Amino acid sequence: MDEVKVVVAHSERATLRVGDVFLKVDADQARIDVEVEAMSLAPVPTPQVLWRKPPVLAIAALPGTTLGRLGGPSTEAPAAWAAAGAAIRKLHDAPLPPRPGQAGRSIVALAEELDDECEWLVANGLLPAGLVNRNRQVAEAALRPWTPAFTHGDLQIAHVFVDGDEVTGIIDWSEAGQGDPLYDLATFTLGHEEHLDDVIAGYGTDIDVDLDVIHAWWSLRSLLVVRWLIEHRFDPFAPGCEVDVLRSRM
């Protein structure tokens, strides 16, 4: 029998790997519905769905390796990052999926959530007020009108697989839907600012990619997830992770 490896696990969902099969267990079947639908619509490589028996979704492993992870180094060449940028652009240019995704939350809702999280972080002594206030100011640039695109919604570098300069697949589509395309670019380059130019080169320079908005999403996303990460036993204070991203904006 193949070894069972826990890829990620917390109170909401878990992912296990058994040989060349990933088993995703999710208490919220709506997330799995979104994931299966998004993978069927996305014009980029995605894992093959092997079977589904709620609350479990079985998908095939992808060839290649991930570009890295938040808080860790990336050993991939600039061409791999550019290839990822090109794949992201292909996704963003695709016909819109039927519903909003994580990247499509309203400006009003985001601003309210951001204010609540900033207040909580300071009141509970998690982060200094100066650090929170500075990043709250930076985050303001993300709260503007945007043209919706087909977005992944959780495009961490650990979710993109490459082989050389070819993208072999993108995983974890449960947050996909209509949204702000710069949210995807910011999520993908979070903690790896040194590769932003490579990603944009692959994404295409025929449209204006507002760097201030990408910087704003780095701050906004990091501020919003610190509490969630702590409550789910992850460490946003680890080197290179969310709190370091916030410190880099000072």
Side-chain angles (χ1 to χ4, degrees):
M1 179 178 178
D2 290 311
E3 179 184 3
V4 177
K5 178 182 178 182
V6 179
V7 179
V8 63
H10 51 77
S11 60
E12 296 176 7
R13 66 189 86 168
T15 301
L16 310 175
R17 180 168 186 168
V18 185
D20 289 333
V21 177
F22 285 90
L23 302 176
K24 303 191 70 172
V25 184
D26 199 318
D28 184 353
Q29 286 305 292
R31 281 195 292 254
I32 297 296
D33 292 340
V34 170
E35 179 158 12
V36 172
E37 179 184 57
M39 288 193 293
S40 71
L41 296 174
V44 295
T46 61
Q48 177 188 2
V49 176
L50 300 176
W51 51 266
R52 181 182 179 189
K53 186 175 182 180
V56 182
L57 172 69
I59 59 176
L62 290 169
T65 58
T66 65
L67 275 163
R69 61 179 179 80
L70 183 62
S74 173
T75 58
E76 298 295 337
W81 288 86
I88 296 169
R89 176 64 182 275
K90 187 174 183 180
L91 175 67
H92 290 170
D93 285 345
L96 292 174
R99 59 181 60 84
Q102 180 72 0
R105 289 171 291 172
S106 75
I107 295 172
V108 172
L110 272 173
E112 291 177 353
E113 183 181 357
L114 183 59
D115 287 340
D116 289 343
E117 289 302 309
C118 289
E119 181 180 352
W120 186 89
L121 290 169
V122 174
N124 287 274
L126 267 295
L127 294 174
L131 180 66
V132 171
N133 292 338
R134 169 58 183 157
N135 278 275
R136 175 63 180 82
Q137 293 171 356
V138 173
E140 192 70 28
L143 304 176
R144 87 287 174 219
W146 39 267
T147 301
F150 190 156
T151 53
H152 180 279
D154 190 22
L155 199 60
Q156 304 173 47
I157 59 171
H159 293 163
V160 178
F161 285 72
V162 296
D163 184 0
D165 60 356
E166 177 186 0
V167 174
T168 57
I170 301 175
I171 64 172
D172 284 359
W173 291 82
S174 61
E175 308 291 351
Q178 299 178 26
D180 179 0
L182 295 190
Y183 180 92
D184 272 354
L185 289 175
T187 302
F188 186 66
T189 54
L190 184 75
H192 289 276
E193 186 172 355
E194 71 276 11
H195 293 294
L196 179 57
D197 288 345
D198 298 324
V199 174
I200 292 175
Y203 190 80
T205 57
D206 56 314
I207 63 171
D208 181 30
V209 175
D210 192 328
L211 297 183
D212 287 341
V213 174
I214 289 179
H215 297 163
W217 274 122
W218 288 341
S219 291
L220 199 158
R221 179 182 170 92
S222 297
L223 288 168
L224 291 185
V225 301
V226 168
R227 185 199 325 208
W228 186 94
L229 291 169
I230 292 171
E231 291 177 346
H232 290 78
R233 300 184 180 181
F234 298 102
D235 186 8
F237 292 88
C241 292
E242 285 80 6
V243 174
D244 274 355
V245 170
L246 295 173
R247 290 170 177 152
S248 72
R249 297 299 102 196
M250 296 298 288

